[in-house]
Coordinates of all heavy atoms in Angstrom, one line a residue:
M206 N 96.4 103.8 112.6 CA 97.6 103.6 111.9 C 98.8 104.3 112.5 O 99.9 103.8 112.6 CB 97.5 104.0 110.4 CG 96.8 103.0 109.6 SD 97.6 101.3 109.6 CE 99.2 101.7 109.1
E207 N 98.5 105.5 112.9 CA 99.5 106.4 113.5 C 100.1 105.7 114.8 O 101.3 105.7 115.0 CB 98.9 107.8 113.8 CG 100.0 108.8 114.1 CD 99.3 110.2 114.2 OE1 98.7 110.6 113.2 OE2 99.5 110.8 115.2
A208 N 99.2 105.3 115.7 CA 99.7 104.6 116.9 C 100.4 103.3 116.6 O 101.4 103.0 117.3 CB 98.5 104.3 117.8
L209 N 100.0 102.6 115.6 CA 100.6 101.3 115.2 C 102.1 101.6 114.7 O 103.0 101.0 115.1 CB 99.8 100.6 114.2 CG 100.2 99.2 113.8 CD1 100.3 98.3 115.0 CD2 99.3 98.7 112.7
T210 N 102.2 102.6 113.9 CA 103.5 103.0 113.3 C 104.4 103.5 114.4 O 105.6 103.2 114.5 CB 103.3 104.1 112.2 OG1 102.5 103.6 111.2 CG2 104.7 104.5 111.7
E211 N 103.9 104.3 115.4 CA 104.7 104.8 116.5 C 105.2 103.6 117.3 O 106.3 103.6 117.8 CB 103.9 105.7 117.4 CG 103.7 107.1 116.7 CD 102.8 108.0 117.6 OE1 102.6 107.7 118.8 OE2 102.3 109.0 117.0
G212 N 104.3 102.6 117.5 CA 104.8 101.4 118.3 C 105.9 100.7 117.6 O 106.8 100.2 118.2
W213 N 105.8 100.6 116.3 CA 106.8 99.9 115.5 C 108.1 100.7 115.6 O 109.2 100.1 115.7 CB 106.4 99.8 114.0 CG 105.3 98.7 113.8 CD1 105.1 97.6 114.5 CD2 104.4 98.7 112.7 NE1 104.0 96.9 114.0 CE2 103.6 97.6 112.9 CE3 104.2 99.6 111.7 CZ2 102.6 97.3 112.0 CZ3 103.2 99.3 110.8 CH2 102.4 98.1 110.9
L214 N 108.0 102.0 115.5 CA 109.2 102.8 115.6 C 109.9 102.7 116.9 O 111.1 102.7 117.0 CB 108.9 104.3 115.2 CG 108.6 104.5 113.7 CD1 108.1 105.9 113.5 CD2 109.7 104.2 112.8
E215 N 109.1 102.5 118.0 CA 109.6 102.3 119.3 C 110.4 101.0 119.4 O 111.4 100.9 120.0 CB 108.5 102.3 120.4 CG 107.9 103.7 120.7 CD 106.8 103.6 121.6 OE1 106.5 102.5 122.2 OE2 106.1 104.6 121.7
R216 N 110.0 100.0 118.6 CA 110.7 98.7 118.6 C 112.0 98.9 117.9 O 112.9 98.0 118.0 CB 109.9 97.7 117.9 CG 108.7 97.2 118.6 CD 108.0 96.0 117.9 NE 106.7 95.8 118.4 CZ 105.9 94.9 117.9 NH1 106.3 94.1 116.9 NH2 104.7 94.7 118.4
L217 N 112.2 100.0 117.1 CA 113.4 100.2 116.4 C 114.4 101.1 117.2 O 115.3 101.6 116.6 CB 113.1 100.8 115.0 CG 112.5 99.9 114.0 CD1 112.0 100.6 112.8 CD2 113.4 98.7 113.6
A218 N 114.1 101.2 118.5 CA 115.0 102.0 119.3 C 116.5 101.5 119.1 O 116.7 100.3 119.1 CB 114.6 101.9 120.8
G219 N 117.4 102.4 119.0 CA 118.8 102.1 118.9 C 119.2 102.1 117.4 O 120.4 101.9 117.1
T220 N 118.3 102.2 116.5 CA 118.7 102.3 115.1 C 118.8 103.7 114.7 O 118.2 104.6 115.3 CB 117.7 101.6 114.1 OG1 116.4 102.3 114.2 CG2 117.5 100.1 114.4
H221 N 119.6 104.0 113.7 CA 119.8 105.4 113.2 C 118.5 105.9 112.7 O 117.6 105.2 112.2 CB 120.8 105.4 112.1 CG 122.2 105.1 112.5 ND1 123.0 106.0 113.3 CD2 122.9 104.0 112.4 CE1 124.1 105.4 113.5 NE2 124.1 104.2 113.0
E222 N 118.3 107.2 112.9 CA 117.1 107.9 112.4 C 116.8 107.7 110.9 O 115.7 107.7 110.5 CB 117.1 109.4 112.8 CG 116.9 109.6 114.3 CD 115.6 109.1 114.8 OE1 114.6 109.4 114.2 OE2 115.6 108.5 115.9
D223 N 117.9 107.6 110.1 CA 117.7 107.5 108.7 C 117.9 106.0 108.2 O 118.0 105.7 107.0 CB 118.7 108.4 107.9 CG 120.1 108.0 108.2 OD1 120.4 107.3 109.2 OD2 121.0 108.4 107.4
A224 N 117.8 105.1 109.1 CA 117.9 103.6 108.8 C 116.9 103.2 107.8 O 115.7 103.6 107.9 CB 117.9 102.8 110.1
L225 N 117.2 102.3 106.9 CA 116.3 101.8 106.0 C 115.1 101.1 106.6 O 113.9 101.3 106.2 CB 117.0 100.8 105.0 CG 116.1 100.2 103.9 CD1 115.5 101.2 103.1 CD2 116.9 99.2 103.1
A226 N 115.3 100.4 107.7 CA 114.2 99.8 108.4 C 113.1 100.8 108.9 O 111.9 100.6 108.8 CB 114.7 99.0 109.7
R227 N 113.6 102.0 109.3 CA 112.6 103.0 109.7 C 111.8 103.5 108.5 O 110.7 103.8 108.6 CB 113.4 104.2 110.4 CG 113.9 103.8 111.7 CD 114.5 105.1 112.4 NE 114.8 104.8 113.8 CZ 114.0 105.0 114.8 NH1 112.8 105.4 114.5 NH2 114.3 104.7 116.0
R228 N 112.5 103.7 107.4 CA 111.8 104.1 106.1 C 110.8 103.1 105.7 O 109.7 103.5 105.2 CB 112.8 104.4 105.0 CG 113.7 105.7 105.3 CD 114.6 106.0 104.2 NE 115.8 105.2 104.4 CZ 116.7 105.0 103.5 NH1 116.5 105.4 102.2 NH2 117.8 104.3 103.7
V229 N 111.1 101.8 105.8 CA 110.2 100.8 105.4 C 108.9 100.8 106.3 O 107.8 100.8 105.9 CB 110.8 99.4 105.4 CG1 109.8 98.3 105.3 CG2 111.9 99.3 104.4
V230 N 109.2 101.0 107.6 CA 108.1 101.1 108.6 C 107.2 102.3 108.3 O 105.9 102.2 108.3 CB 108.6 101.2 110.0 CG1 107.5 101.6 111.0 CG2 109.1 99.8 110.5
A231 N 107.8 103.4 107.9 CA 107.0 104.6 107.6 C 106.1 104.4 106.4 O 105.0 105.1 106.4 CB 107.9 105.8 107.4
E232 N 106.4 103.5 105.5 CA 105.5 103.3 104.4 C 104.7 102.0 104.4 O 104.1 101.6 103.4 CB 106.4 103.4 103.1 CG 107.4 102.3 103.0 CD 108.3 102.5 101.8 OE1 108.5 103.6 101.3 OE2 108.9 101.5 101.4
L233 N 104.7 101.3 105.5 CA 104.0 100.1 105.6 C 102.5 100.2 105.3 O 101.9 99.3 104.7 CB 104.1 99.4 107.0 CG 105.4 98.5 107.1 CD1 105.4 98.0 108.5 CD2 105.4 97.4 106.1
S234 N 101.8 101.3 105.7 CA 100.4 101.4 105.3 C 100.2 101.5 103.8 O 99.1 101.0 103.4 CB 99.8 102.6 106.0 OG 100.4 103.8 105.6
A235 N 101.1 102.0 103.1 CA 101.0 102.0 101.6 C 101.5 100.7 101.0 O 101.0 100.3 99.9 CB 101.8 103.2 101.1
Y236 N 102.5 100.1 101.6 CA 103.1 98.9 101.0 C 103.1 97.8 102.1 O 104.2 97.5 102.7 CB 104.5 99.1 100.5 CG 104.6 100.2 99.5 CD1 105.0 101.5 99.8 CD2 104.3 99.8 98.1 CE1 105.1 102.4 98.8 CE2 104.3 100.8 97.2 CZ 104.8 102.1 97.5 OH 104.8 103.0 96.5
P237 N 102.0 97.2 102.5 CA 102.0 96.2 103.6 C 102.6 94.9 103.2 O 102.9 94.1 104.1 CB 100.5 96.0 103.9 CG 99.8 96.4 102.6 CD 100.6 97.4 102.0
I238 N 102.8 94.6 101.9 CA 103.5 93.4 101.5 C 104.7 93.9 100.7 O 104.5 94.6 99.7 CB 102.6 92.5 100.7 CG1 101.4 92.0 101.5 CG2 103.4 91.3 100.1 CD1 100.4 91.2 100.8
V239 N 105.9 93.5 101.1 CA 107.1 93.9 100.3 C 108.1 92.8 100.1 O 108.0 91.7 100.8 CB 107.8 95.1 101.1 CG1 107.0 96.3 101.2 CG2 108.2 94.6 102.5
S240 N 109.0 93.0 99.2 CA 110.1 92.0 99.0 C 111.3 92.8 99.0 O 111.3 94.0 98.8 CB 109.9 91.3 97.7 OG 110.0 92.1 96.6
A241 N 112.5 92.1 99.1 CA 113.8 92.8 99.1 C 114.0 93.6 97.8 O 114.4 94.7 97.8 CB 114.9 91.8 99.3
P242 N 113.6 93.0 96.6 CA 113.8 93.7 95.4 C 112.9 95.0 95.3 O 113.4 96.0 94.8 CB 113.4 92.7 94.3 CG 113.6 91.4 94.9 CD 113.3 91.6 96.3
D243 N 111.7 94.9 95.9 CA 110.8 96.1 95.9 C 111.5 97.2 96.7 O 111.5 98.4 96.3 CB 109.5 95.8 96.5 CG 108.6 94.8 95.7 OD1 108.9 94.8 94.5 OD2 107.7 94.2 96.3
V244 N 111.9 96.8 97.9 CA 112.5 97.8 98.8 C 113.8 98.4 98.2 O 114.0 99.6 98.3 CB 112.8 97.2 100.2 CG1 113.6 98.1 101.1 CG2 111.5 96.8 100.9
A245 N 114.6 97.6 97.6 CA 115.8 98.0 97.0 C 115.6 99.0 95.9 O 116.2 100.1 95.8 CB 116.6 96.8 96.4
T246 N 114.6 98.8 95.1 CA 114.2 99.7 94.0 C 113.7 101.0 94.5 O 114.1 102.1 94.1 CB 113.2 99.0 93.1 OG1 113.8 97.8 92.5 CG2 112.8 100.0 91.9
R247 N 112.7 100.9 95.5 CA 112.1 102.1 96.0 C 113.1 103.0 96.7 O 112.9 104.3 96.7 CB 111.0 101.8 96.9 CG 109.6 101.9 96.3 CD 108.5 102.0 97.3 NE 108.5 101.0 98.4 CZ 108.1 99.7 98.3 NH1 107.7 99.3 97.1 NH2 108.2 98.9 99.3
H248 N 114.1 102.4 97.4 CA 115.0 103.2 98.2 C 116.4 103.3 97.7 O 117.3 103.8 98.4 CB 115.0 102.7 99.6 CG 113.7 102.8 100.3 ND1 113.2 104.0 100.9 CD2 112.7 101.9 100.5 CE1 112.0 103.8 101.4 NE2 111.7 102.5 101.1
A249 N 116.6 102.9 96.4 CA 117.9 102.9 95.8 C 119.0 102.4 96.7 O 120.1 103.0 96.9 CB 118.2 104.4 95.4
V250 N 118.8 101.1 97.1 CA 119.8 100.4 97.9 C 120.0 99.1 97.3 O 119.2 98.7 96.4 CB 119.4 100.3 99.4 CG1 119.2 101.6 100.1 CG2 118.1 99.5 99.5
T251 N 121.0 98.3 97.7 CA 121.2 97.0 97.2 C 120.2 96.0 97.8 O 119.6 96.3 98.8 CB 122.6 96.5 97.6 OG1 122.6 96.3 99.0 CG2 123.7 97.4 97.1
E252 N 119.9 94.9 97.1 CA 119.0 93.9 97.6 C 119.5 93.3 98.9 O 118.7 93.0 99.8 CB 118.8 92.8 96.6 CG 117.8 93.2 95.5 CD 117.4 92.1 94.6 OE1 117.2 90.9 95.1 OE2 117.2 92.3 93.4
R253 N 120.8 93.2 99.0 CA 121.4 92.7 100.3 C 121.1 93.7 101.4 O 120.7 93.2 102.5 CB 122.9 92.6 100.1 CG 123.6 92.1 101.3 CD 125.1 91.9 101.1 NE 125.7 91.4 102.2 CZ 127.0 91.2 102.3 NH1 127.8 91.6 101.3 NH2 127.6 90.7 103.4
G254 N 121.2 95.0 101.2 CA 120.8 95.9 102.2 C 119.3 95.9 102.6 O 118.9 96.0 103.7
A255 N 118.5 95.7 101.5 CA 117.1 95.6 101.7 C 116.7 94.4 102.5 O 115.9 94.4 103.4 CB 116.3 95.6 100.4
R256 N 117.3 93.2 102.2 CA 117.1 92.0 102.9 C 117.5 92.1 104.4 O 116.8 91.7 105.3 CB 117.9 90.8 102.3 CG 117.1 90.1 101.2 CD 117.8 88.8 100.9 NE 119.1 88.9 100.4 CZ 119.5 89.2 99.2 NH1 118.6 89.5 98.3 NH2 120.8 89.3 98.9
A257 N 118.6 92.8 104.6 CA 119.1 93.0 106.0 C 118.0 93.8 106.8 O 117.7 93.5 108.0 CB 120.4 93.7 106.0
A258 N 117.5 94.9 106.2 CA 116.5 95.7 106.9 C 115.2 94.9 107.1 O 114.6 94.9 108.2 CB 116.1 96.9 106.0
L259 N 114.8 94.1 106.1 CA 113.6 93.2 106.3 C 113.8 92.2 107.4 O 112.9 91.9 108.2 CB 113.2 92.6 105.0 CG 112.7 93.6 103.9 CD1 112.4 92.9 102.6 CD2 111.6 94.5 104.4
D260 N 115.0 91.6 107.4 CA 115.3 90.6 108.4 C 115.3 91.3 109.8 O 114.7 90.6 110.8 CB 116.7 90.0 108.2 CG 116.8 89.1 107.1 OD1 115.8 88.6 106.6 OD2 117.9 88.8 106.6
D261 N 115.8 92.5 109.9 CA 115.7 93.2 111.2 C 114.3 93.4 111.6 O 113.9 93.2 112.8 CB 116.5 94.5 111.1 CG 116.6 95.3 112.4 OD1 116.6 94.6 113.5 OD2 116.6 96.5 112.3
L262 N 113.4 93.9 110.7 CA 112.0 94.1 111.0 C 111.3 92.8 111.4 O 110.5 92.8 112.3 CB 111.3 94.8 109.8 CG 111.8 96.2 109.6 CD1 111.2 96.7 108.3 CD2 111.4 97.1 110.7
A263 N 111.6 91.7 110.8 CA 111.0 90.5 111.1 C 111.5 90.0 112.5 O 110.7 89.5 113.3 CB 111.4 89.4 110.1
A264 N 112.8 90.2 112.8 CA 113.3 89.8 114.1 C 112.7 90.6 115.3 O 112.6 90.1 116.4 CB 114.9 90.0 114.1
R265 N 112.3 91.8 115.0 CA 111.7 92.7 116.0 C 110.1 92.5 116.0 O 109.4 93.2 116.8 CB 112.0 94.1 115.7 CG 113.5 94.4 115.9 CD 113.8 95.8 115.4 NE 115.2 96.1 115.4 CZ 115.9 96.8 116.3 NH1 115.3 97.2 117.4 NH2 117.2 97.0 116.2
G266 N 109.6 91.5 115.2 CA 108.2 91.2 115.3 C 107.3 92.2 114.5 O 106.1 92.2 114.7
I267 N 107.9 93.0 113.7 CA 107.1 94.0 112.9 C 106.6 93.5 111.7 O 105.4 93.7 111.3 CB 108.0 95.3 112.7 CG1 108.4 95.9 114.0 CG2 107.3 96.3 111.8 CD1 109.4 97.0 113.9
L268 N 107.4 92.7 111.0 CA 107.0 92.0 109.7 C 107.1 90.5 109.9 O 107.8 90.0 110.8 CB 107.9 92.5 108.6 CG 107.8 93.9 108.2 CD1 108.8 94.3 107.1 CD2 106.4 94.4 107.8
T269 N 106.4 89.8 109.0 CA 106.4 88.3 109.0 C 106.8 87.8 107.6 O 106.2 88.3 106.6 CB 105.0 87.8 109.4 OG1 104.7 88.3 110.7 CG2 105.1 86.3 109.5
F270 N 107.7 86.9 107.5 CA 108.1 86.3 106.2 C 107.0 85.4 105.8 O 106.5 84.6 106.6 CB 109.4 85.6 106.3 CG 110.6 86.5 106.2 CD1 111.3 86.9 107.3 CD2 111.0 87.0 104.9 CE1 112.3 87.8 107.2 CE2 112.1 87.8 104.8 CZ 112.8 88.2 105.9
R271 N 106.6 85.5 104.5 CA 105.7 84.6 103.9 C 106.3 84.0 102.6 O 106.8 84.7 101.8 CB 104.4 85.3 103.5 CG 103.7 86.1 104.6 CD 102.9 85.1 105.4 NE 102.2 85.9 106.4 CZ 101.7 85.3 107.5 NH1 101.6 84.0 107.6 NH2 101.1 86.1 108.4
S272 N 106.2 82.7 102.4 CA 106.7 82.1 101.2 C 105.6 82.1 100.2 O 104.4 82.0 100.4 CB 107.0 80.6 101.5 OG 108.1 80.5 102.3
L273 N 106.0 82.4 98.9 CA 105.1 82.3 97.8 C 105.0 80.9 97.3 O 105.9 80.1 97.5 CB 105.6 83.3 96.7 CG 105.7 84.8 97.1 CD1 106.3 85.6 95.9 CD2 104.3 85.3 97.4
R274 N 103.9 80.6 96.7 CA 103.7 79.2 96.3 C 104.8 78.7 95.4 O 105.4 77.7 95.6 CB 102.3 79.1 95.6 CG 101.2 79.0 96.5 CD 100.0 78.7 95.8 NE 99.4 80.0 95.5 CZ 98.3 80.2 94.8 NH1 97.6 79.3 94.4 NH2 97.9 81.5 94.6
K275 N 105.0 79.4 94.3 CA 106.1 79.0 93.4 C 106.8 80.3 92.9 O 106.2 81.2 92.5 CB 105.4 78.4 92.1 CG 105.6 76.9 92.0 CD 105.1 76.5 90.7 CE 105.5 75.0 90.5 NZ 105.1 74.5 89.2
S276 N 108.1 80.1 93.0 CA 108.9 81.3 92.6 C 109.1 81.1 91.0 O 109.4 80.1 90.5 CB 110.3 81.2 93.3 OG 111.1 82.3 92.8
R277 N 108.9 82.2 90.4 CA 109.1 82.3 88.9 C 110.2 83.3 88.7 O 110.5 84.1 89.5 CB 107.8 82.8 88.2 CG 106.7 81.7 88.2 CD 105.6 82.2 87.4 NE 104.8 83.1 88.3 CZ 103.8 83.9 87.9 NH1 103.5 84.0 86.7 NH2 103.2 84.6 88.8
R278 N 110.8 83.1 87.5 CA 111.9 84.0 87.2 C 111.5 85.5 87.3 O 110.4 85.9 86.8 CB 112.3 83.8 85.8 CG 113.6 84.5 85.4 CD 114.0 84.2 84.0 NE 115.2 84.9 83.7 CZ 116.2 84.5 83.0 NH1 116.1 83.3 82.5 NH2 117.2 85.2 82.8
G279 N 112.2 86.3 88.0 CA 111.9 87.7 88.2 C 110.9 87.9 89.4 O 110.6 89.0 89.7
R280 N 110.5 86.9 90.1 CA 109.5 87.0 91.2 C 110.2 86.4 92.4 O 110.8 85.4 92.4 CB 108.3 86.2 90.9 CG 107.2 86.3 91.9 CD 106.0 85.5 91.5 NE 105.1 85.3 92.6 CZ 104.1 84.5 92.7 NH1 103.8 83.8 91.6 NH2 103.4 84.4 93.7
P281 N 110.2 87.2 93.5 CA 110.8 86.7 94.7 C 110.2 85.4 95.3 O 109.0 85.2 95.0 CB 110.6 87.8 95.7 CG 109.5 88.6 95.2 CD 109.5 88.5 93.7
S282 N 110.9 84.6 96.0 CA 110.4 83.3 96.5 C 109.7 83.6 97.8 O 108.9 82.8 98.2 CB 111.5 82.3 96.7 OG 112.5 82.8 97.6
K283 N 110.0 84.7 98.5 CA 109.2 85.1 99.7 C 109.1 86.6 99.8 O 109.8 87.3 99.2 CB 109.9 84.5 100.9 CG 111.3 84.9 101.2 CD 111.8 84.2 102.4 CE 113.3 84.4 102.5 NZ 113.9 83.8 103.7
V284 N 108.0 86.9 100.5 CA 107.8 88.4 100.7 C 107.6 88.6 102.2 O 107.6 87.6 103.0 CB 106.4 88.8 100.0 CG1 106.6 88.7 98.5 CG2 105.2 88.0 100.5
V285 N 107.6 89.8 102.6 CA 107.4 90.1 104.0 C 106.1 90.9 104.1 O 105.8 91.8 103.3 CB 108.6 90.9 104.5 CG1 108.6 91.1 106.0 CG2 109.9 90.3 104.1
A286 N 105.3 90.6 105.1 CA 104.0 91.2 105.3 C 103.9 91.9 106.7 O 104.4 91.3 107.7 CB 102.9 90.2 105.1
G287 N 103.2 93.0 106.7 CA 102.8 93.6 107.9 C 101.5 92.9 108.4 O 100.4 93.5 108.2
T288 N 101.7 91.8 109.0 CA 100.6 90.9 109.4 C 99.5 91.6 110.3 O 98.3 91.4 110.1 CB 101.1 89.7 110.1 OG1 102.1 89.1 109.3 CG2 100.0 88.7 110.3
V289 N 100.0 92.5 111.2 CA 99.1 93.2 112.0 C 98.1 94.0 111.2 O 96.9 94.1 111.6 CB 99.8 94.1 113.0 CG1 98.9 95.0 113.8 CG2 100.7 93.2 113.9
L290 N 98.5 94.6 110.1 CA 97.6 95.4 109.3 C 96.5 94.5 108.8 O 95.3 95.0 108.7 CB 98.4 96.0 108.1 CG 99.5 97.0 108.5 CD1 100.3 97.4 107.3 CD2 98.8 98.3 109.1
F291 N 96.8 93.3 108.4 CA 95.8 92.5 107.8 C 94.8 92.0 108.9 O 93.6 91.8 108.7 CB 96.4 91.3 107.0 CG 97.1 91.8 105.8 CD1 98.5 91.8 105.8 CD2 96.4 92.2 104.7 CE1 99.1 92.3 104.7 CE2 97.0 92.6 103.6 CZ 98.4 92.7 103.6
E292 N 95.3 91.8 110.1 CA 94.5 91.4 111.2 C 93.5 92.5 111.6 O 92.3 92.3 111.9 CB 95.4 91.1 112.5 CG 96.2 89.8 112.3 CD 97.2 89.6 113.4 OE1 97.4 90.5 114.3 OE2 97.9 88.6 113.4
L293 N 93.9 93.8 111.4 CA 93.0 94.9 111.7 C 91.9 94.9 110.7 O 90.8 95.3 111.0 CB 93.8 96.2 111.6 CG 94.7 96.5 112.8 CD1 95.5 97.8 112.5 CD2 94.0 96.6 114.1
L294 N 92.2 94.6 109.4 CA 91.2 94.6 108.4 C 90.1 93.5 108.7 O 88.9 93.7 108.2 CB 91.8 94.3 107.0 CG 92.7 95.4 106.5 CD1 93.3 94.9 105.2 CD2 91.9 96.7 106.2
D295 N 90.4 92.5 109.4 CA 89.4 91.5 109.8 C 88.5 91.9 111.0 O 87.5 91.2 111.2 CB 90.1 90.2 110.1 CG 90.7 89.5 108.9 OD1 90.2 89.7 107.8 OD2 91.6 88.7 109.1
L296 N 88.8 92.9 111.7 CA 88.0 93.4 112.8 C 86.8 94.1 112.4 O 86.8 94.8 111.4 CB 88.9 94.3 113.7 CG 90.0 93.6 114.5 CD1 90.8 94.7 115.2 CD2 89.6 92.6 115.4
P297 N 85.7 94.0 113.1 CA 84.5 94.7 112.8 C 84.8 96.2 113.1 O 85.6 96.6 114.0 CB 83.5 94.3 113.8 CG 84.0 93.0 114.5 CD 85.5 93.0 114.2
P298 N 84.2 97.1 112.3 CA 84.5 98.5 112.4 C 84.3 99.1 113.8 O 85.1 99.9 114.3 CB 83.5 99.2 111.5 CG 83.1 98.1 110.5 CD 83.2 96.8 111.2
Q299 N 83.3 98.6 114.6 CA 83.1 99.1 115.9 C 84.3 98.8 116.9 O 84.5 99.4 117.9 CB 81.8 98.6 116.5 CG 81.6 97.1 116.7 CD 81.0 96.5 115.4 OE1 81.1 97.0 114.3 NE2 80.5 95.3 115.6
D300 N 85.0 97.7 116.6 CA 86.2 97.3 117.4 C 87.4 98.3 117.1 O 88.3 98.3 117.9 CB 86.6 95.9 117.1 CG 85.6 94.9 117.7 OD1 84.7 95.3 118.4 OD2 85.8 93.7 117.4
L301 N 87.4 98.9 116.0 CA 88.5 99.8 115.6 C 88.3 101.2 116.2 O 89.2 102.0 116.3 CB 88.6 99.9 114.1 CG 89.0 98.6 113.4 CD1 89.0 98.8 111.9 CD2 90.4 98.2 113.9
A302 N 87.1 101.6 116.6 CA 86.8 102.9 117.1 C 87.2 103.1 118.5 O 87.5 102.3 119.2 CB 85.3 103.2 117.0

């Protein structure tokens, strides 16, 4: 996880050290699936700012947008996932060592 996070942070070269995108990356192991409202609440930013950070992370190949089947009131229509994390979970343990 540490190496994966470091690689993601390298992809964020040129962003401010305190940028929201960097904070989201730092917590991906705890929150591998996020939405703009989740990020906005956790980091006390606007949903617009959260969406911008998630868009940036998706553009850099760190996160992938996933549509939810049906959007309900109070539930986002799409989320963003750290797909690489889920791919790692599918590997046999000996491949991770």
Side-chain angles (χ1 to χ4, degrees):
M206 279 305 302
E207 196 172 302
L209 189 56
T210 301
E211 285 176 18
W213 288 333
L214 291 173
E215 286 175 11
R216 290 187 196 179
L217 290 170
T220 62
H221 292 285
E222 288 298 316
D223 64 342
L225 180 57
R227 288 182 172 274
R228 290 183 274 160
V229 171
V230 163
E232 64 185 21
L233 274 179
S234 62
Y236 300 102
I238 299 175
V239 295
S240 67
D243 293 338
V244 171
T246 299
R247 257 197 316 280
H248 295 281
V250 298
T251 64
E252 282 191 35
R253 182 179 182 184
R256 270 192 304 278
L259 296 177
D260 287 342
D261 184 30
L262 292 170
R265 294 172 189 259
I267 297 169
L268 297 176
T269 305
F270 279 98
R271 303 279 182 194
S272 294
L273 297 176
R274 280 185 273 182
K275 253 189 169 179
S276 179
R277 287 184 276 168
R278 187 179 181 143
R280 180 177 168 193
S282 60
K283 59 184 172 178
V284 294
V285 190
T288 308
V289 173
L290 295 172
F291 294 104
E292 290 169 357
L293 288 175
L294 291 174
D295 287 336
L296 292 175
Q299 60 271 23
D300 289 353
L301 295 173

